Amino acid sequence: MIEFNNLKFMYSGGKKFALDGIDLTINDGEFIGVIGPSGAGKSTLTYAINGTVPHHYKGDFYGAVKVNGLDTVDNKPEKIAGEVGCVFQDIDAQMTATIVEDEILFGLENFGCPAEEIEERIDEALKALRIEKLRTRSIGTLSGGQKQKTAIAAMIALRPKILVLDEPTGELDPQSSREIFELLKELNKKYGMTIIVVEQKIMLQCEFADKLLVIDGGKAVHYDTVEKVLEHSEDLEKMGINCPRIVTLARMLHENGLYDGVYPAELDSAEKMVRSII
Amino acid sequence: MKGFLDYKDGNSIFHKMNPLSKLFLAVVLCAMCFVSSNIYFVAGVIVINLLIAFAAGIHKMALSILSGLLKLSIVLFIVQVLFVRSGNALFTIPGLNLPITDDGVYFSLLFVLRLLATALPLAVMLSVTQMSDLANVMVSKLKIPYKYAFAVITVIRFIPVFASEMAGIIESQTARGVEFDTKNIFRKIGLIIPLCVPLLISSVKKIDSSAIAAELRGFNRRTSKSGYKKYPFGGNDIFAVLICAVVITAGIMI
Ligand SMILES: Nc1ncnc2c1ncn2[C@@H]1O[C@H](COP(=O)(O)OP(=O)(O)O)[C@@H](O)[C@H]1O
Ligand SMILES: [Mg+2]
């Protein structure tokens, strides 16, 4: 569980709060999609979860963040890392090794995973991401999607309860982007892992996330189930987030009093909506 | 530079050898070229290098290093030959009154052969060794602090990343009409230098986030005993010792 308690953070040298009064709770096992315009504070939010804000990125920090009961100010990021696995936006900077297998080994070795358990953990992580074949591949020769999966596998091997990803599909084609989200959903369902994913591709978010967290100007402007947040599609459009067409249609139908059901987040519920009005 | 130092996958005895044995073998091959002043011996070392490269399936790379050094070798040979005055004159260059001596030819040849013989071993060995294995074994067996090994790996890891970033910048500049394919080398350098600034900024950022990412994954807890992979010496390493023994004996005897 992650609890934000009126969190405010301004980077040293910054002029305004990058996070401006975040006050919400993320429960265990939830799949949270974080969206918002560029510069809204999404990455900063991920830093606040893993403790790099305020331990690495200095600045004015008010309020509190607790990750599974651990206060991120009182505990070192290294300690928090036992609870949260993070995949950063810059995937090349994330890597530490030259071979896939070694990338997964890195964290396991550092945190003192017993030798007899290591093989099992590597196999499990590779299998969860379906990259068993890449085990001995050189990381320099991997595609963007394969690198992303390797980075996630390296985190999974440490068995964190929470996984945070910052724009994991930023440089991927639609097919690979979808694959990543499918894998995340699987981790979420199979291991009950809490997933927090910053992602601009709202179609993917709507289809896979349980809840959407909309950040704008450092504030959490909406935080609710996907359907509920989509009711504010006008707000989202103003931020430059293009909602699925079907959501715009639902809004128009609502405005004209033709439909009063939930806003459809994916095709199945869209079909239901259409059936209900004809 | 592309392809240089890159690991070439394979299954040869040299791929399977302990990284330390390979390093030791490379050092012995280089050192013996200076211990012995016999040109036949040094030429023999070149042949041994090429045989190793052939056995490991990287002879193309080895031959391209040799051919790359050929021009330089010829120039060095000529310069050397003209400067050595000791020994018996073989003949005199007419007009310049410059004698070419037997010592001159011998030492110039030795010099060039040494250059070629010492350029090969490290390149050959590094091509059949995963960088991370070399680093791991240096940490576990030679007790080199992990931080240094990690720094070296990071630099090697970032070279292709920065190269592709640079290519990206050049591409976008070309799209804006800057002509990089100019023949004038000075003009080209003048065009590229300003682009190094954004590259530098992004590099600093990358290295910073790289340090944070490594720390989040327990980098600071690591000790020389953390390494999971063990690098025992085995049968393949006896072969390395054997080659070393032969080369050392030959070098001293001849
Ligand atoms: N390292 C930093 N130092 C100073 N200011 C920063 C830093 N990183 C981000 N910011 C600022 O904080 C705000 C939020 O940035 P960020 O969290 O990266 O947004 P997002 O990920 O939503 O695009 C922006 O105004 C940005 O300029
Ligand atoms: Mg960001």
Side-chain angles (χ1 to χ4, degrees):
Chain A
M1 189 164 77
I2 305 176
E3 300 158 87
F4 295 94
N5 201 329
N6 200 16
L7 167 69
K8 291 187 177 197
F9 181 74
M10 182 168 5
Y11 286 98
S12 55
K15 285 190 188 65
K16 59 182 186 36
F17 282 99
L19 294 175
D20 195 1
I22 304 283
D23 201 51
L24 51 89
T25 302
I26 294 172
N27 292 312
D28 290 342
E30 284 185 320
F31 191 132
I32 309 286
V34 181
I35 50 174
S38 164
K42 304 182 298 297
S43 296
T44 310
L45 187 79
T46 67
Y47 301 153
I49 294 174
N50 64 34
T52 44
V53 156
H55 289 276
H56 285 282
Y57 298 108
K58 305 284 182 202
D60 300 336
F61 186 98
Y62 304 99
V65 183
K66 279 202 181 117
V67 178
N68 291 340
L70 298 174
D71 189 291
T72 57
V73 176
D74 300 339
N75 293 280
K76 281 190 175 170
E78 225 177 78
K79 179 88 188 284
I80 308 283
E83 310 290 325
V84 189
C86 266
V87 178
F88 289 119
Q89 200 161 357
D90 185 342
I91 198 70
D92 289 316
Q94 172 96 21
M95 300 286 177
T96 55
T98 52
I99 313 168
V100 171
E101 173 184 62
D102 289 2
E103 186 62 33
I104 300 173
L105 258 178
F106 183 75
L108 290 173
E109 289 175 340
N110 294 346
F111 285 111
C113 177
E116 58 277 9
E117 214 181 287
I118 280 189
E119 277 305 317
E120 183 194 325
R121 295 263 201 129
I122 295 180
D123 287 342
E124 181 191 78
L126 290 169
K127 210 165 148 232
L129 277 294
R130 301 201 196 91
I131 50 171
E132 295 99 321
K133 285 211 181 75
L134 301 181
R135 181 165 180 157
T136 55
R137 273 277 289 278
S138 158
I139 287 173
T141 66
L142 299 181
S143 71
Q146 290 171 329
K147 270 191 204 169
Q148 203 62 243
K149 288 180 198 168
T150 303
I152 298 173
M155 286 304 150
I156 299 300
L158 300 171
R159 296 187 180 153
K161 296 172 200 80
I162 303 166
L163 190 61
V164 178
L165 305 100
D166 195 355
E167 309 207 12
T169 74
E171 286 167 25
L172 305 187
D173 56 89
Q175 176 63 33
S176 322
S177 305
R178 209 185 153 71
E179 237 178 87
I180 297 286
F181 267 79
E182 280 166 357
L183 288 167
L184 292 178
K185 192 73 187 176
E186 206 176 298
L187 293 171
N188 176 244
K189 285 270 164 287
K190 214 159 146 188
Y191 303 101
M193 203 176 272
T194 309
I195 307 281
I196 300 166
V197 55
V198 176
E199 180 59 65
Q200 301 285 14
K201 293 171 184 151
I202 191 163
M203 304 288 244
L204 287 173
Q205 294 279 37
C206 288
E207 186 177 342
F208 289 95
D210 303 324
K211 281 184 175 175
L212 288 183
L213 169 56
V214 184
I215 306 269
D216 192 18
K219 291 187 163 67
V221 285
H222 298 291
Y223 177 50
D224 212 330
T225 59
V226 174
E227 287 80 8
K228 287 276 187 223
V229 171
L230 288 179
E231 288 177 10
H232 307 279
S233 63
E234 239 167 331
D235 260 19
L236 301 183
E237 307 270 343
K238 267 184 220 143
M239 292 173 207
I241 301 166
N242 290 316
C243 292
R245 287 277 175 79
I246 192 74
V247 173
T248 316
L249 177 64
R251 191 177 76 222
M252 287 168 154
L253 294 171
H254 259 282
E255 281 163 4
N256 293 308
L258 293 168
Y259 176 70
D260 58 0
V262 295
Y263 276 63
E266 22 69 49
L267 272 184
D268 280 350
S269 42
E271 189 193 342
K272 274 196 202 111
M273 177 183 84
V274 175
R275 278 186 191 285
S276 80
I277 54 170
I278 52 179
Chain B
M1 279 303 270
K2 191 166 161 41
F4 185 69
L5 283 188
D6 276 359
Y7 174 74
K8 307 283 184 311
D9 209 5
N11 233 336
S12 75
I13 185 166
F14 294 100
H15 282 88
K16 291 182 201 143
M17 245 174 223
N18 188 298
L20 271 190
S21 306
K22 292 185 240 190
L23 199 62
F24 181 69
L25 181 56
V27 170
V28 166
L29 286 176
C30 285
M32 287 315 291
C33 291
F34 290 96
V35 170
S36 167
S37 303
N38 183 305
I39 49 172
Y40 298 108
F41 174 77
V42 180
V45 170
I46 296 180
V47 172
I48 291 177
N49 273 314
L50 288 176
L51 287 177
I52 292 176
F54 198 80
I58 50 165
H59 43 282
K60 264 195 197 143
M61 193 266 314
L63 288 174
S64 82
I65 289 181
L66 285 189
S67 68
L69 285 173
L70 198 65
K71 265 191 210 162
L72 178 68
S73 305
I74 293 172
V75 173
L76 285 173
F77 179 80
I78 293 172
V79 171
Q80 285 275 318
V81 140
L82 293 178
F83 276 97
V84 179
R85 292 289 170 83
S86 63
N88 309 313
L90 292 176
F91 62 90
T92 308
I93 297 178
L96 288 173
N97 197 19
L98 212 58
I100 300 296
T101 69
D102 54 356
D103 275 6
V105 172
Y106 188 88
F107 285 115
S108 307
L109 201 57
L110 181 63
F111 181 81
V112 166
L113 286 174
R114 273 179 177 162
L115 173 75
L116 297 177
T118 51
L120 282 177
L122 218 50
V124 168
M125 291 310 160
L126 287 179
S127 307
V128 295
T129 309
Q130 289 275 21
M131 227 33 223
S132 50
D133 286 335
L134 186 61
N136 285 341
V137 81
M138 297 249 236
V139 171
S140 66
K141 292 244 168 18
L142 299 186
K143 306 291 172 214
I144 289 183
Y146 182 75
K147 274 182 189 162
Y148 299 137
F150 186 77
V152 172
I153 290 192
T154 304
V155 168
I156 290 173
R157 224 162 38 76
F158 273 153
I159 290 172
V161 173
F162 290 153
S164 77
E165 214 155 281
M166 188 72 191
I169 294 175
I170 289 189
E171 201 172 293
S172 65
Q173 292 290 318
T174 310
R176 283 185 213 149
V178 183
E179 284 171 31
F180 284 100
D181 46 359
T182 164
K183 287 272 183 303
N184 185 336
I185 183 93
F186 293 105
R187 198 175 129 65
K188 186 160 178 164
I189 290 172
L191 286 172
I192 285 179
I193 283 177
L195 304 185
C196 290
V197 177
L199 187 67
L200 200 70
I201 291 171
S202 86
S203 311
V204 169
K205 257 196 191 152
K206 226 183 241 310
I207 287 165
D208 188 44
S209 33
S210 175
I212 291 174
E215 204 183 321
L216 281 181
R217 290 165 68 196
F219 177 80
N220 289 331
R221 297 187 179 198
R222 201 175 175 99
T223 64
S224 65
K225 290 188 191 66
S226 294
Y228 166 69
K229 290 185 175 173
K230 298 286 173 265
Y231 297 88
F233 291 98
N236 299 324
D237 302 298
I238 297 176
F239 187 58
V241 174
L242 219 63
I243 300 178
C244 287
V246 170
V247 171
I248 291 173
T249 319
I252 294 169
M253 303 281 276
I254 299 175

